[in-house]
Amino acid sequence: MSWNVTTRDVTEIVERYVERELRLVAEQEHREHMDEEAINALHDLAGLIYRAGFEDGMSVMSRRASERLVRERKQ
């Protein structure tokens, strides 16, 4: 099982989006209603994107640290 990592800010951004979409559904006939399954899928997607960014950031930090060590050894 893969756990999605997110922050309070990411969760709030998704919830604001959901609220906006639900409001627009009430105002416009052509918009489709978001059910709880779609909302949960949106939260999952946000978690995956956040985790990917976090992991990429950690990878970059590790690479920079490795390159710094190489430079220090050359001196």
Side-chain angles (χ1 to χ4, degrees):
M1 173 184 253
S2 174
W3 293 96
N4 289 331
V5 178
T6 190
T7 65
R8 187 177 336 188
D9 289 341
V10 171
T11 300
E12 289 174 8
I13 290 167
V14 171
E15 285 300 323
R16 282 195 305 266
Y17 175 83
V18 168
E19 289 171 8
R20 190 189 102 220
E21 284 298 307
L22 293 175
R23 187 178 66 252
L24 289 173
V25 165
E27 296 170 0
Q28 302 171 3
E29 291 180 20
H30 69 279
R31 288 186 95 77
E32 299 235 1
H33 177 73
M34 289 182 74
D35 61 10
E36 285 302 314
E37 186 176 341
I39 293 168
N40 288 335
L42 189 57
H43 278 285
D44 288 345
L45 176 61
L48 290 170
I49 292 168
Y50 181 83
R51 186 178 74 198
F54 178 83
E55 290 173 353
D56 190 44
M58 295 300 290
S59 175
V60 168
M61 286 176 45
S62 176
R63 175 71 187 265
R64 290 176 64 188
S66 295
E67 294 298 326
R68 185 180 69 241
L69 289 173
V70 168
R71 286 190 302 275
E72 289 172 356
R73 288 183 188 138
K74 288 181 179 179
Q75 292 180 359

